[in-house]
Amino acid sequence: MKHIKTVNKANLKETAAKGGCGKCQTSCQSACKTSCTVANQKCEAVK
Amino acid sequence: MIHKYIQNDKYIVLDVCSGGVHLVDKLTYELLDYAKPPFEKVCPDEILDKMSGYDKNEVAECYDELRELYEAKMLFTDDDYAKYAKMAMKAPIKAMCLHVSHDCNLRCKYCFAQTGDFGGCRMLMTPETGKKAMDFLIENSGDRVNLEVDFFGGEPLMAWDTVVETVKYARSIEKAHNKNFRFTITTNGILLDDEKIDYINKEMSNCVLSLDGRKEINDNIRPTPSGKGSYDIIVPKFQKLVAGRGDKDYYVRGTFTKYNLDFANDVLHINELGFEQLSVEPVVTDESLPYAITEADLPAIFNEYDRLYTIMEKQTVEKDRKFNFFHFMIDLNQGPCAVKRLRGCGCGNEYVAVTPDGDIYPCHQFVGIEEWKMGNIFEGTVNQEIKDYFAGMHIYSKEGCSECWARFYCSGGCNANSFIYEGDVKKPHKLSCETQKKRIECAIALAAVKQETGE
């Protein structure tokens, strides 16, 4: 494409279908625990 | 739903429901004010008229590209995740915040734990209670293998024997139960010595070291009980700990308040001290307090995040990254699945806090609020009504989240902050939402730059 560059896989829907195993790290959302977003966690099912 | 924004010279379009991130040119960015589904085979005349400042052929070309992305389900994708919210059911407990100390040797002015005692008595957890908490966690963890335990306080180093004995006990039983404990610790550093540093670097998979930045900033708000500053005591100890940390995770973590809205200077200062894994975040507190951040401070805070972003972008482009900033870290490809993103932290369901006398609360921030007490580890019972309530917390059950572009990145925010400052777990804390959204914008932009530069 000339005007648009997509920088990632745009695969959130795929992860929903295969997700929910619960193996991932807990992601406290509180400011006092330095874990304020789930988005910087890793999927632990992906090896 | 899309979210478009400009970060420095980048025009960024986020397709909220596919997670797609697109860098576009100025023309496309403006065209998205008008081009929306359903897309026509050719760009409609009324859109060409609205884009009259641009060449018509260019506009039509852009329109075709947008339609192509739409048809590939990478733009304006539907939100059909509500069905996965049904998976938000009661789950085994896999993480515990272990309050080994309800006492502290600092008197930080913003402490949510009322300088360590959480509104109760100053007390330390006994080793027996720590061990019992490990038994409780194993018993309630179902088929979860990885179990996380964060030694917290107050100041956990004040209960060092309990930390050591709890870890030793957990390690002695984990294999027999097919579990893998991951220990972390959050410390203010005052009591660190060589023995503790070695132990933490051996046993703790992550450690959070509290430091607010520049000496005068830190010492003003993180004094000792006698009123002296803590900076000179803790900085050399943290440096020693990190020097021996190897490739294990750590964060030097600070809080900024109204007193240092120029907090990027504190981030840079901490980096200059030799630390590379950094986290500095806004205080969340009662807005009537003098150091509290209020809505009026948001423009200054956003400017400061932009300044920090610009520094990090430059370092990334020049392949000279000097530090990671926790809240600008995002993995656009291998992050958590959408199901996890619907639910967030899992407090009160997958995650609990245990006090020195064994009481169970949904998380450390709920500790001391009697109505949220879930039980006691010695009784071995967990209030299922409260567990059910938290199991049902997701972005579709919280006010405003299902319409927010940031919902798959913040997952509805901190339940405790919502309850304490908005009066309802289901009502997200507005100020936190605003700062969170700004950080996510910066994080996505930085991830795009990394992608482009091959970092």
Side-chain angles (χ1 to χ4, degrees):
Chain A
M1 286 188 177
K2 187 176 150 194
H3 301 273
I4 304 171
K5 184 178 175 189
T6 301
V7 300
N8 66 344
K9 294 178 191 163
N11 62 348
L12 196 55
K13 294 214 173 185
E14 287 169 38
T15 71
K18 296 174 190 164
C21 74
K23 287 180 184 168
C24 51
Q25 204 179 341
T26 315
S27 54
C28 170
Q29 307 291 99
S30 147
C32 58
K33 281 256 189 180
T34 289
S35 330
C36 216
T37 149
V38 297
N40 59 16
Q41 303 283 320
K42 295 271 181 215
C43 172
E44 297 211 22
V46 177
K47 297 291 176 193
Chain B
M1 182 185 197
I2 63 163
H3 173 65
K4 63 184 186 113
Y5 65 101
I6 301 170
Q7 187 71 43
N8 288 10
D9 58 347
K10 292 198 168 358
Y11 296 89
I12 298 171
V13 178
L14 168 69
D15 183 46
V16 172
C17 297
S18 71
V21 175
H22 312 287
L23 297 179
V24 304
D25 58 15
K26 187 165 179 282
L27 194 170
T28 311
Y29 189 83
E30 286 181 25
L31 181 59
L32 277 165
D33 287 339
Y34 313 111
K36 293 182 182 5
F39 281 86
E40 307 288 338
K41 289 209 163 148
V42 291
C43 185
D45 286 343
E46 61 265 31
I47 291 181
L48 290 173
D49 290 344
K50 282 174 178 158
M51 298 290 292
S52 58
Y54 291 97
D55 177 82
K56 282 192 177 183
N57 290 332
E58 286 272 302
V59 176
E61 195 175 74
C62 278
Y63 186 89
D64 287 346
E65 290 190 11
L66 290 175
R67 187 185 58 239
E68 201 178 314
L69 277 186
Y70 170 69
E71 287 170 353
K73 299 189 189 309
M74 293 165 76
L75 199 66
F76 295 110
T77 49
D78 294 329
D79 186 337
D80 54 5
Y81 295 98
K83 57 181 181 274
Y84 298 107
K86 290 178 193 158
M87 294 170 79
M89 55 186 73
K90 269 198 289 195
I93 298 173
K94 64 178 182 182
M96 180 181 281
C97 182
L98 197 61
H99 290 227
V100 289
S101 168
H102 273 193
D103 197 357
C104 191
N105 42 18
L106 287 183
R107 293 293 179 267
C108 305
K109 291 171 186 168
Y110 48 53
C111 183
F112 75 95
Q114 287 92 48
T115 69
D117 62 14
F118 288 81
C121 302
R122 291 191 179 275
M123 66 184 294
L124 303 179
M125 181 179 279
T126 64
E128 287 64 38
T129 304
K131 291 175 191 174
K132 185 71 187 169
M134 297 304 97
D135 290 335
F136 172 88
L137 181 53
I138 287 174
E139 282 161 22
N140 287 275
S141 61
D143 61 355
R144 297 291 188 262
V145 175
N146 295 325
L147 304 182
E148 298 155 43
V149 176
D150 186 30
F151 293 101
F152 202 66
E155 171 48 41
L157 298 192
M158 293 177 79
W160 185 245
D161 289 348
T162 300
V163 172
V164 171
E165 289 204 35
T166 301
V167 169
K168 188 176 170 190
Y169 178 71
R171 291 276 179 245
S172 75
I173 59 172
E174 65 183 347
K175 281 207 177 78
H177 293 278
N178 190 33
K179 303 292 177 186
N180 172 40
F181 277 97
R182 288 174 179 165
F183 296 105
T184 58
I185 194 162
T186 301
T187 178
N188 64 28
I190 296 286
L191 293 177
L192 279 175
D193 56 24
D194 288 352
E195 182 197 333
K196 293 187 182 77
I197 287 172
D198 289 345
Y199 185 87
I200 288 170
N201 283 342
K202 179 168 166 262
E203 291 289 354
M204 305 289 164
S205 64
N206 200 341
C207 62
V208 177
L209 312 170
S210 301
L211 170 70
D212 279 0
R214 291 162 289 177
K215 179 175 162 62
E216 63 275 19
I217 298 294
N218 182 83
D219 287 354
N220 174 44
I221 207 137
R222 297 181 65 81
T224 64
S226 66
K228 290 182 181 166
S230 53
Y231 181 99
D232 289 338
I233 304 169
I234 59 176
V235 168
K237 295 179 178 187
F238 287 165
Q239 286 169 325
K240 193 163 193 179
L241 186 150
V242 169
R245 188 94 187 122
D247 56 2
K248 283 192 171 142
D249 291 334
Y250 74 92
Y251 282 98
V252 174
R253 188 209 165 277
T255 300
F256 70 83
T257 70
K258 195 190 278 292
Y259 301 148
N260 59 323
L261 293 175
D262 61 342
F263 60 89
N265 290 332
D266 294 290
V267 175
L268 297 175
H269 178 79
I270 296 171
N271 181 228
E272 282 161 11
L273 291 172
F275 304 112
E276 296 176 351
Q277 309 302 325
L278 316 179
S279 172
V280 174
E281 45 199 301
V283 69
V284 180
T285 192
D286 185 331
E287 289 192 25
S288 66
L289 294 165
Y291 52 80
I293 284 166
T294 64
E295 205 175 333
D297 299 319
L298 288 178
I301 290 170
F302 291 173
N303 278 340
E304 202 63 0
Y305 278 130
D306 283 337
R307 189 162 75 91
L308 196 54
Y309 168 83
T310 303
I311 293 165
M312 294 184 74
E313 184 196 69
K314 186 167 181 284
Q315 291 182 0
T316 304
V317 170
E318 292 174 356
K319 299 192 184 300
D320 186 29
R321 274 283 294 283
K322 293 184 166 55
F323 60 92
N324 281 323
F325 183 61
F326 186 87
H327 300 284
F328 289 178
M329 286 165 64
I330 204 162
D331 186 336
L332 295 177
N333 287 316
Q334 302 286 335
C337 66
V339 179
K340 163 84 171 178
R341 291 167 188 247
L342 300 178
R343 303 171 64 166
C345 68
C347 91
N349 184 25
E350 297 178 302
Y351 168 70
V352 295
V354 173
T355 68
D357 47 15
D359 287 340
I360 304 163
Y361 287 90
C363 81
H364 58 292
Q365 294 242 35
F366 282 103
V367 165
I369 308 175
E370 193 59 27
E371 66 186 284
W372 293 105
K373 186 175 155 183
M374 296 179 73
N376 185 286
I377 56 168
F378 289 101
E379 292 160 12
T381 55
V382 178
N383 183 318
Q384 295 301 312
E385 206 178 318
I386 296 179
K387 200 167 193 294
D388 278 336
Y389 179 75
F390 282 105
M393 284 304 128
H394 48 73
I395 58 174
Y396 299 101
S397 61
K398 292 185 177 182
E399 194 177 302
C401 292
S402 60
E403 297 91 47
C404 176
W405 67 265
R407 60 187 179 273
F408 295 115
Y409 300 90
C410 95
S411 305
C414 169
N415 290 325
N417 283 346
S418 302
F419 174 74
I420 295 165
Y421 300 110
E422 301 286 353
D424 188 341
V425 173
K426 293 183 175 177
K427 204 172 168 188
H429 180 231
K430 283 199 186 75
L431 264 183
S432 297
C433 289
E434 294 311 310
T435 51
Q436 178 71 290
K437 282 190 277 191
K438 180 64 187 174
R439 292 192 296 255
I440 292 168
E441 285 187 344
C442 293
I444 288 173
L446 196 61
V449 174
K450 284 185 196 171
Q451 198 86 1
E452 282 193 311
T453 57
E455 183 181 310

